[in-house]
Amino acid sequence: MSATPASLPGEPAVDQALARAHGLSADEYAAVLARLGRVPTFTELGVFAVMWSEHCSYKSSRKHLRMLPMTGPRVVGGPGENAGALEIGDGWVAVFKIESHNHPSYVEPYQGAATGVGGIIRDIFTMGARPVASMNSLKFGALDHPRTRYLLSGVVGGIGGYGNCVGVPTVAGEVMFDAAYNGNILVNAFCLGLARKGELQSARAHGVGNPVIYVGSATGRDGIHGASLLASAEFDAASAAKRPTVQVGDPFAEKLLIEACLEAMKTGAIVAIQDMGAAGLTSSSSEMAGRGGLGIELDLDRIPLREPGLTPYEILLSESQERMLLVVEKGREAEVAAVFEKWDLHALVVGRITDDGRWRARYRGQVVADIPVKALSSEAPLYDRPAAPPAAPLRAADAPARAPAPREALRALLASPNVGSKRWVFRQYDAIVQSNTLAGPGGDAAVLRIKGSRRGLALTVDSNPRACALDPYLGTVATVCEAARNLACTGARPAGITNCLNYGNPERAEIMWQFRRGVEGLRDAAIAFELPVVSGNVSFYNETAGRAILPTPTIAMVGIFEEIGQRLAIHFRRPGDCIVIIRTAAPSMAASEYAALFGAGDARLAPIDLNRERRLIEGLLKAAERRLLNSAHDVADGGLLVGLLEACFGDHALGAHLDGVDGSPDELFGEGPSTVIISAAADKVDALREIFAPLEVRVIGRVTSQPRLIVGTLFDESINELRLLYDQALPRRLELT
């Protein structure tokens, strides 16, 4: 029997006040006392604080996430592992996930964003997959806010600095500016990797007596309490003091770790593997043991340290980057260590798997923690928090209402940083390293080839916080629909979802109502499209001084090409082609960028018919397969005219002559529910009407060789002049031109 754990000399006495300072409520501290039958040691208190934090335990969201569809014929790995996995054919598996790094990126933007990229990459190669593509979804405050430019520069620099050095291309993303994010930006990072079906790894420990091996970088003091006191609490006036809880990344060490782990996995000696992410050594060890229904014992004296004098509390709670924890078959330790030594990385036996269901840590011969594994994993607190709609409907802050002339409106939209080109951002990212990228940032979705296969993948990430502010349910449904359209416009069939659900403080009933309605919307849309939700992340407490962000469920979706040669692009290709719009419903100004600029938004979102949305997706795929389309582009921010111009902005600019639009603001600038612009030869239009029936299929004009936009008597504009407005939208606001 193990000795009773004890705090070390000089450590503070544990009581309810200290527990509260660690983020534990009075009831939660009472539950800790009940689970242990005694007062916890100082180290144990820190362990409970991180593992019972919102960030690690999902205590406010687990109950509701269970309603999501998580299985399907392609699913070979889902929630519960480090990332989700879908079978994509030819023996390949796509492994992918999206996660938040919001608070660290606000406190220290470069390292916060960089380590967000590093962490999500580790989740992917931990599964045995080689990371091949990254995406991101970024939300910043208004560009005239004094902190926004600093945050934008730091976050974009961190993403590029880490991703470019580690050699994983950043192939797509989205950027939005809104005053709702002045005090709390969002940085959501996605990664996808490829593995052979039989080579997937698990994070489920097994084998009593098997050694536990620490690999990667040494442990330092960076990131301590990042999960509990930074990611699981609101911002306040003291947030700047939380900089020490932000980790520091090293992409060159990560590159070595990727290669070493993938090589070590090929030995067959690794039983389980997990990234030391949020809560570091504590979470990785307890979660692996918990999944396997076993115990684990750690010898903290064996942990490699970056600096002397770290206490057990600091060692266990550190979130230093580029570290992994392995369970290895007993007797094969030297075989695995030799691989990591080749890559100049630590690989040290620091513990073993036990059969007693306890999570135990020793330091200098003394037991400093002895906790039931289940108390840290499956039996963490679970809340069903009160939920109620706000007293007044929430909506994004619109501008004072005015009715500009169509020409003024179009130019203002093209010059808006939310509508205009994001080239200033994505030109800082390497999008083509590894030579798999066929279509990178700037289109509806990224397109990747799979070397040695006729198949390919399309990737997109989407969110619509202004719509979710008006209606959290319909806004989330609309976001899923947009992601599916973006993939289908490339010719790829949507196959699976990962999500990052960003909301305010769940202890407030109106925030919990937003979250629940958002999850219900995600569920219903995913079921309608037959898409499994294979992984995801919930980020609560995104608010400052009681003001929450807009509800922002971010949807990343992966699509599959059976034949990569059938992919479509957004740009017009052939003068003389018919320009055709396909719609599921009439456009609406609700939650549009036009409304944000000119205050003309509707108070409610239009209803969404998911059967018609599914018909649109299936029609696009069938039309692409029959090679009826020369281009396809989803209409999104800015509405029909902006989407039309984006289709004209190819390498060789073409024009558009429209004679089939009514010229109303709703028609020209409305954004919802769903509209797609396609170009096709005139003799293909009847076939398209048959494929898409009963949806609206309307020829509105033709593609011209002269680069001008002509819309009846409303517009006769130079495409190149309008493109300059679009291209300079963000640099001009950043005063770079």
Side-chain angles (χ1 to χ4, degrees):
M1 182 177 292
S2 299
T4 301
S7 296
L8 299 179
E11 291 183 331
V14 175
D15 56 19
Q16 185 169 308
L18 187 62
R20 184 61 197 159
H22 278 68
L24 295 172
S25 69
D27 288 343
E28 288 169 346
Y29 180 61
V32 169
L33 297 178
R35 299 287 176 88
L36 295 179
R38 55 178 171 77
V39 174
T41 67
F42 181 61
T43 297
E44 289 173 330
L45 178 66
V47 166
F48 273 108
V50 292
M51 294 307 297
W52 285 13
S53 68
E54 189 68 59
H55 189 75
C56 289
S57 73
Y58 285 58
K59 58 191 175 187
S60 299
S61 61
R62 290 204 316 271
K63 177 180 185 294
H64 306 291
L65 296 175
R66 293 169 183 162
M67 73 175 76
L68 297 175
M70 301 178 185
T71 59
R74 292 187 182 273
V75 178
V76 291
E81 290 288 350
N82 286 298
L86 289 181
E87 191 171 1
I88 57 176
D90 292 345
W92 288 102
V93 173
V95 178
F96 56 96
K97 187 180 183 182
I98 189 170
E99 281 200 339
S100 62
H101 230 227
N102 303 333
H103 286 187
S105 299
Y106 184 81
V107 172
E108 211 303 302
Y110 186 96
Q111 290 297 345
T115 54
V117 173
I120 197 66
I121 288 174
R122 288 194 298 279
D123 280 339
I124 300 309
F125 72 78
T126 294
M127 295 282 292
R130 177 171 292 280
V132 297
S134 292
M135 300 191 292
N136 53 74
S137 174
L138 311 177
K139 301 289 183 288
F140 297 98
L143 271 171
D144 57 4
H145 187 273
R147 191 170 165 84
T148 295
R149 297 180 191 192
Y150 160 72
L151 292 169
L152 172 65
S153 177
V155 166
V156 171
I159 292 170
Y162 201 101
N164 297 352
C165 292
V166 81
V168 178
T170 302
V171 298
E174 59 169 7
V175 185
M176 178 182 178
F177 301 90
D178 191 283
Y181 303 96
N182 282 350
N184 198 125
I185 66 173
L186 300 184
V187 176
N188 294 174
F190 167 99
C191 187
L192 177 141
L194 292 174
R196 302 302 290 176
K197 185 177 179 182
E199 296 177 356
L200 286 179
Q201 297 288 313
S202 174
R204 186 182 304 273
H206 62 85
V208 174
N210 276 339
V212 176
I213 296 182
Y214 173 119
V215 302
S217 299
T219 294
R221 288 190 168 92
D222 51 319
I224 293 174
H225 273 304
S228 55
L229 299 185
L230 182 59
S232 300
E234 302 174 22
F235 279 141
D236 54 31
S239 292
K242 297 180 179 179
R243 287 181 66 131
T245 65
V246 178
Q247 312 96 315
V248 177
D250 181 347
F252 300 106
E254 179 111 328
K255 176 60 176 172
L256 298 177
L257 195 59
I258 292 172
E259 301 303 331
C261 285
L262 293 177
E263 183 176 333
M265 290 169 185
K266 292 185 181 300
T267 67
I270 296 177
V271 170
I273 178 171
Q274 182 157 332
D275 166 38
M276 292 191 218
L281 180 58
T282 292
S283 62
S284 55
S285 58
S286 61
E287 288 172 0
M288 281 201 298
R291 292 187 188 103
L294 295 167
I296 191 167
E297 186 168 283
L298 300 172
D299 184 350
L300 303 185
D301 296 322
R302 295 176 175 266
I303 304 296
L305 303 180
R306 191 181 303 155
E307 53 191 299
L310 267 67
T311 66
Y313 178 100
E314 293 171 324
I315 293 169
L316 288 167
L317 272 56
S318 168
E319 294 182 10
S320 294
Q321 296 290 284
E322 292 83 43
R323 304 178 302 157
M324 312 284 281
L325 201 64
L326 282 57
V327 178
V328 172
E329 287 185 7
K330 190 173 183 179
R332 303 185 70 179
E333 299 92 333
E335 183 181 354
V336 171
V339 174
F340 286 91
E341 183 179 355
K342 168 187 169 182
W343 293 97
D344 199 25
L345 293 170
H346 293 290
L348 302 169
V349 175
V350 297
R352 64 185 181 91
I353 299 299
T354 66
D355 62 0
D356 61 2
R358 310 289 296 185
W359 183 89
R360 189 176 297 110
R362 299 179 184 274
Y363 177 75
R364 296 182 180 176
Q366 178 178 328
V367 177
V368 293
D370 190 344
I371 303 169
V373 167
K374 289 183 178 179
L376 301 179
S377 54
S378 59
E379 295 178 359
L382 178 62
Y383 295 128
D384 186 2
R385 297 193 185 277
L394 177 68
R395 62 181 296 169
D398 292 335
R402 66 186 185 91
R407 185 174 184 272
E408 178 193 353
L410 177 60
R411 288 175 172 267
L413 285 165
L414 292 173
S416 163
N418 286 334
V419 172
S421 171
K422 308 305 185 296
R423 183 176 299 276
W424 180 86
V425 173
F426 64 71
R427 67 184 294 272
Q428 300 182 54
Y429 307 150
D430 188 336
I432 60 174
V433 64
Q434 298 190 32
S435 68
N436 297 313
T437 309
L438 300 181
D444 284 331
V447 176
L448 305 177
R449 67 173 177 169
I450 301 173
K451 292 172 183 171
S453 171
R454 70 187 190 281
R455 300 175 186 272
L457 296 173
L459 315 177
T460 187
V461 58
D462 293 285
S463 61
N464 195 335
R466 288 174 178 162
C468 292
L470 287 179
D471 187 318
Y473 175 86
L474 283 176
T476 306
V477 171
T479 304
V480 177
C481 292
E482 181 179 359
R485 285 195 309 278
N486 282 334
L487 297 181
C489 281
T490 70
R493 176 171 292 279
I497 292 172
T498 180
N499 63 83
C500 192
L501 307 179
N502 306 275
Y503 294 85
N505 184 343
E507 298 166 48
R508 295 167 51 198
E510 64 270 24
I511 300 297
M512 203 63 214
W513 175 79
Q514 292 173 359
F515 173 76
R516 285 174 54 173
R517 292 296 287 157
V519 174
E520 289 165 358
L522 173 55
R523 173 200 62 195
D524 292 349
I527 290 172
F529 291 120
E530 298 183 10
L531 296 174
V533 180
V534 298
S535 58
N537 173 232
V538 176
S539 177
F540 280 134
Y541 296 98
N542 290 291
E543 58 182 82
T544 300
R547 179 178 177 180
I549 61 164
L550 301 179
T552 311
T554 301
I555 305 299
M557 195 178 291
V558 174
I560 299 172
F561 292 95
E562 297 293 331
E563 293 286 348
I564 191 64
Q566 294 182 356
R567 71 186 186 278
L568 296 168
I570 71 171
H571 298 122
F572 295 147
R573 296 168 52 201
R574 299 179 183 177
D577 272 356
C578 291
I579 300 172
V580 183
I581 58 171
I582 306 166
R583 277 182 171 151
T584 62
S588 167
M589 285 295 186
S592 67
E593 185 68 16
Y594 184 97
L597 292 178
F598 306 116
D602 301 323
R604 293 185 178 181
L605 297 182
I608 296 175
D609 185 332
L610 282 167
N611 290 325
R612 292 173 69 83
E613 298 293 332
R614 175 74 180 265
R615 188 76 191 89
L616 175 61
I617 300 304
E618 293 298 331
L620 286 167
L621 296 174
K622 188 173 183 180
E625 183 180 359
R626 291 175 55 180
R627 299 185 183 273
L628 300 177
L629 309 178
N630 291 330
S631 68
H633 182 30
D634 171 45
V635 172
D637 298 334
L640 177 63
L641 281 193
V642 170
L644 188 75
L645 286 168
E646 289 171 336
C648 293
F649 292 162
D651 291 338
H652 301 286
L654 295 176
H657 189 151
L658 304 188
D659 51 19
V661 295
D662 63 23
S664 68
D666 279 11
E667 172 85 344
L668 299 179
F669 307 117
E671 295 181 13
S674 294
T675 301
V676 171
I677 300 168
I678 63 173
S679 64
D683 61 359
K684 302 292 195 296
V685 173
D686 286 343
L688 290 171
R689 287 196 172 103
E690 180 181 345
I691 286 173
F692 286 99
L695 304 182
E696 175 190 2
V697 178
R698 176 159 48 105
V699 177
I700 62 170
R702 59 187 174 85
V703 179
T704 64
S705 58
Q706 185 180 21
R708 297 196 71 80
L709 172 67
I710 301 173
V711 184
T713 60
L714 290 175
F715 294 94
D716 187 347
E717 301 277 338
S718 163
I719 294 292
N720 292 324
E721 286 183 14
L722 296 176
R723 184 171 192 167
L724 187 62
L725 278 176
Y726 179 84
D727 286 345
Q728 295 301 318
L730 190 52
R732 183 177 291 114
R733 292 296 300 274
L734 295 173
E735 299 176 354
L736 299 174
T737 60

